[in-house]
Amino acid sequence: MHITNGFTLMTVARPLEVSAYLQEAFGLRAVFEADWYAQLKGPGFELGVIAEGHESIPPDHREVVRGAMLTLEVADAAQAFEQRRADWELVHGLRDEVWGQRHFMVRTPVGLVVDVVQPLGTPLPA
């Protein structure tokens, strides 16, 4: 087998709404959209979002994904946070973590949580 690409596919309530949100909020680009599916591209990755209950999904996987988050790495989390925080539903604000990252989380209109992360290099002192 020779793999030529890979991406995560998430089952969501309204894929076109998720696609529009991710394009507007984070600059992702739609490479394909239908009423039941959207394929998005960012620097170095792709993401698919598919409508819950779609016939192409195995019957035991047709529910909206729970517990998954989309993590987007940025060069400057503080700048990203300040730039757009008024536009976003925050899950938690900007903070530095002891494991060596600065991040914040937002919730999309359909409930998908996006974790915006900046690696800080080395873990912070405890």
Side-chain angles (χ1 to χ4, degrees):
M1 175 184 344
H2 174 72
I3 298 171
T4 61
N5 192 16
F7 60 91
T8 298
L9 178 60
M10 299 177 103
T11 306
V12 298
R14 297 180 301 278
L16 292 181
E17 189 174 329
V18 171
S19 177
Y21 181 89
L22 294 173
Q23 289 177 69
E24 195 277 324
F26 298 106
L28 301 186
R29 181 174 53 90
V31 294
F32 177 82
E33 288 185 316
D35 61 346
W36 58 275
Y37 180 81
Q39 182 80 19
L40 298 155
K41 192 170 187 110
F45 77 99
E46 291 186 40
L47 171 70
V49 288
I50 189 167
E52 64 181 320
H54 191 268
E55 64 190 36
S56 68
I57 304 169
D60 62 343
H61 279 71
R62 290 185 180 170
E63 296 178 4
V64 171
V65 68
R66 301 272 188 252
M69 296 187 304
L70 173 61
T71 299
L72 299 176
E73 187 175 302
V74 298
D76 189 337
Q79 179 187 33
F81 181 76
E82 291 303 324
Q83 220 172 18
R84 301 286 309 272
R85 76 177 182 185
D87 300 333
W88 288 331
E89 178 190 340
L90 290 175
V91 174
H92 77 65
L94 184 68
R95 65 183 180 210
D96 291 352
E97 302 290 5
V98 297
W99 52 83
Q101 70 176 201
R102 177 173 295 138
H103 71 130
F104 62 94
M105 293 182 183
V106 299
R107 185 180 326 276
T108 70
V110 299
L112 177 64
V113 173
V114 180
D115 188 12
V116 181
V117 174
Q118 172 191 349
L120 296 176
T122 58
L124 300 173

